Amino acid sequence: MSKVVLITGGSRGIGRAAALLCAARGWSVGVNYATNRNAADETVARVEAAGGRAIAIQGDVCEEADVIALFDATTRAFGQIDGFVNNAGIVAPGSALADMDVARMKRVFDTNVLGAYLGAREAARRMSTKRGGRGGSIVNVSSAAARLGSPNEYVDYAGSKGAVDTLTIGLAKELGPEGVRVNAVRPGLIDTEIHASGGKPDRAAQLGALAPLGRPGTADEVAQSIVWLLSDASAYVSGALLDVAGGR
Ligand code: NAP
């Protein structure tokens, strides 16, 4: 029986790369998206073309009912969940904190903090061996921003990822005795569309060149770490914050 994973924001970028790699390793994949149905369908089509199993599921991670429905849909399609990748996240255009409006800060914190906590809560309810689950692995997608602070760009985003790190540390302690490992990856400058959504399409290329490894990372390079943390190869790793940031 194949293992089952749900990936929030699996339609594009790092989430898509994780979906493709999970499927290639034999996992059945729930591919969540917010609005971009075509991108989610393409992720599913690529999984299926390679002989894997996936479904696309619309849902906003900020909405409790949507988050519950994502898990329900994945379980209905493939059975009980063994892995959860808490990946959906957004940035907003670069700005000093003094110039940020409250609507933008709420959007960032709702998606990156409340969304991540709701997803992790639902995963805990379904995966904990004390609650009828069969254990497994949760991987939170944080950011190097959590330790860099992102001054004059997005300290709101950086703080939201600090919350994801703290969630990882606490939840790993809660769920370790219940058969669930919890870890985070902290990507650095990765070449995805998130930078264009923050108004700087060339950001990864420009700043990535300054990283000790001299280039931005790829979504697939982050996915490799995510899939390792999902897999039994990392069986004694929990509560870890794994930097995938080219030495930055
Ligand atoms: P991306 O290419 O912009 O993709 C974002 C994904 O999240 C899309 O699948 C999008 O769905 C989904 N999403 C956004 N808001 C959502 C919501 N409210 N509910 C459900 N899904 C939602 O971003 P990415 O670069 O792959 O980033 C993925 C994660 O890595 C994020 O948490 C980000 O903070 C983190 N990260 C990225 C970098 C980087 O340099 N790229 C660095 C550090 C950390 P739609 O397709 O429907 O829009």
Side-chain angles (χ1 to χ4, degrees):
M1 194 172 52
S2 83
K3 288 195 170 183
V4 179
V5 62
L6 169 62
I7 303 175
T8 61
S11 48
R12 294 186 287 121
I14 291 168
R16 170 185 278 178
L20 298 176
L21 194 59
C22 281
R25 301 277 167 83
W27 292 69
S28 299
V29 190
V31 175
N32 159 246
Y33 66 101
T35 56
N36 199 331
R37 166 110 224 180
N38 286 343
D41 286 345
E42 191 188 325
T43 303
V44 170
R46 283 173 63 176
V47 165
E48 289 176 345
R53 300 203 306 166
I55 54 163
I57 321 161
Q58 195 281 328
D60 180 346
V61 296
C62 309
E63 297 294 332
E64 181 180 31
D66 284 17
V67 171
I68 291 169
L70 295 183
F71 282 82
D72 285 344
T74 305
T75 303
R76 254 195 323 275
F78 301 126
Q80 219 167 3
I81 288 194
D82 306 282
F84 176 58
V85 183
N86 214 352
N87 166 75
I90 59 166
V91 296
S95 162
L97 177 63
D99 297 318
M100 287 180 194
D101 63 45
V102 70
R104 162 224 171 94
M105 289 193 270
K106 279 190 172 160
R107 209 166 55 244
V108 168
F109 284 116
D110 270 2
T111 307
N112 296 0
V113 182
L114 182 63
Y117 273 69
L118 285 174
R121 185 194 68 175
E122 205 53 34
R125 287 177 172 173
R126 302 190 183 228
M127 292 165 67
S128 161
T129 51
K130 276 198 182 150
R131 295 171 187 263
R134 54 187 186 208
S137 171
I138 296 172
V139 182
N140 295 323
V141 180
S142 172
S143 172
R147 58 181 165 75
L148 296 171
S150 307
N152 297 306
E153 268 199 305
Y154 18 69
V155 292
D156 53 351
Y157 172 83
S160 75
K161 293 302 188 177
V164 171
D165 284 0
T166 305
L167 166 68
T168 305
I169 292 164
L171 196 60
K173 292 174 182 168
E174 274 188 24
L175 294 182
E178 302 177 24
V180 181
R181 296 184 295 111
V182 185
N183 294 287
V185 292
R186 294 198 296 200
L189 291 151
I190 309 300
D191 188 15
T192 73
E193 292 167 353
I194 202 170
H195 306 290
S197 70
K200 289 187 185 162
D202 299 331
R203 183 173 176 272
Q206 281 171 358
L207 295 180
L210 305 175
L213 291 189
R215 63 171 178 84
T218 65
D220 185 60
E221 287 171 322
V222 181
Q224 295 283 350
S225 294
I226 292 172
V227 173
W228 177 70
L229 288 169
L230 284 174
S231 78
D232 291 341
S234 61
Y236 200 57
V237 181
S238 196
L241 309 174
L242 176 57
D243 288 316
V244 187
R248 185 162 171 258

